[in-house]
Amino acid sequence: NAGVTQTPKFQVLKTGQSMTLQCAQDMNHEYMSWYRQDPGMGLRLIHYSVGAGITDQGEVPNGYNVSRSTTEDFPLRLLSAAPSQTSVYFCASRGQGRTEAFFGQGTRLTVV
Amino acid sequence: GENVEQHPSTLSVQEGDSAVIKCTYSDSASNYFPWYKQELGKGPQLIIDIRSNVGEKKDQRIAVTLNKTAKHFSLHITETQPEDSAVYFCAASFRDDKIIFGKGTRLHILP
């Protein structure tokens, strides 16, 4: 049982480049979320989804896009990377009913 | 929107002593309050949670208390051990779909 899998683990981008962070879960969870973690800022919600075809914005959505074409996958797209997007990104999933959220191992992104 | 405040940002305690981390939330509709522990290089993991119809919950050396009137909740770790050193996050959920986290507390257990 893999849980939540994020790829890549590390990435360096140049300003202006685009890329997609991948997230997949094998627990058939309805809810999936993306967070970014910055020193002193905790975990801030970027986007979230309550099921396939449904997404919504979190606290800090600007500069990011998401889609949820399947229950398993929830990719996060950086449209035009900026140094302010240097961060550690975590994907999380949980089942319906406010149960435990399971996090991936994170993607450390550096934008130069 | 929902806001969760967490204090302190850093906490150092002697091994064997107790540690307390406090959080407040803004939305009175919040009804689920989990605590997560994050070890270096890893994603957060749930350690304990409490729902709004319960005032206190214990799991071995860890306990969480909730005061709905004051909109605050706390994590208590007793008989601290070196493996308790980590970053701890409180969170609040007022809808099924999203959880809002506090900014975290870095706990250091001193030998």
Side-chain angles (χ1 to χ4, degrees), chain A residues 31 33 35 37 40-43 45 48-50 56-57 59 90 94 96-101 103-105, chain B residues 2 31-32 36 38 41-46 49 51 89 93-104:
Chain A
Y31 306 130
S33 305
Y35 293 87
Q37 184 175 23
M41 299 299 292
L43 293 161
L45 183 64
Y48 63 100
S49 169
V50 301
D56 206 347
Q57 296 181 348
E59 303 167 273
F90 287 99
R94 61 185 178 132
Q96 197 170 19
R98 304 186 185 91
T99 56
E100 176 179 358
F103 283 81
Q105 291 291 301
Chain B
E2 174 70 287
N31 55 9
Y32 175 63
Y36 284 79
Q38 185 181 29
K42 297 184 178 180
Q45 281 194 301
L46 181 73
D49 57 11
R51 300 182 188 275
F89 292 98
S93 175
F94 60 101
R95 283 163 40 175
D96 270 350
D97 47 2
K98 63 179 183 179
I99 301 174
I100 301 300
F101 286 83
K103 292 186 178 180

Side-chain angles (χ1 to χ4, degrees), chain A:
Chain A
N1 190 344
V4 180
T5 303
Q6 289 184 238
T7 56
K9 291 186 178 180
F10 302 94
Q11 183 70 50
V12 179
L13 287 179
K14 293 183 178 179
T15 298
Q17 285 185 317
S18 62
M19 79 158 294
T20 300
L21 307 185
Q22 301 292 342
C23 176
Q25 54 94 5
D26 61 0
M27 297 172 282
N28 202 31
H29 283 168
E30 294 87 353
Y31 306 130
M32 296 187 74
S33 305
W34 276 102
Y35 293 87
R36 60 177 288 173
Q37 184 175 23
D38 303 292
M41 299 299 292
L43 293 161
R44 291 184 292 171
L45 183 64
I46 304 172
H47 285 286
Y48 63 100
S49 169
V50 301
I54 305 170
T55 63
D56 206 347
Q57 296 181 348
E59 303 167 273
V60 288
N62 293 340
Y64 307 95
N65 271 357
V66 292
S67 59
R68 185 96 180 270
S69 56
T70 67
T71 299
E72 294 78 20
D73 299 299
F74 191 43
L76 178 72
R77 297 183 185 85
L78 279 69
L79 309 173
S80 178
S84 60
Q85 294 178 304
T86 293
S87 187
V88 180
Y89 291 84
F90 287 99
C91 177
S93 77
R94 61 185 178 132
Q96 197 170 19
R98 304 186 185 91
T99 56
E100 176 179 358
F102 293 85
F103 283 81
Q105 291 291 301
T107 295
R108 183 173 294 275
L109 175 68
T110 302
V111 183
V112 298

Side-chain angles (χ1 to χ4, degrees), chain B residues 5-23:
Chain B
E5 297 287 339
Q6 182 172 348
H7 300 280
S9 57
T10 306
L11 178 62
S12 297
V13 300
Q14 212 70 37
E15 182 178 349
D17 288 350
S18 296
V20 180
I21 302 170
K22 298 182 178 182
C23 291

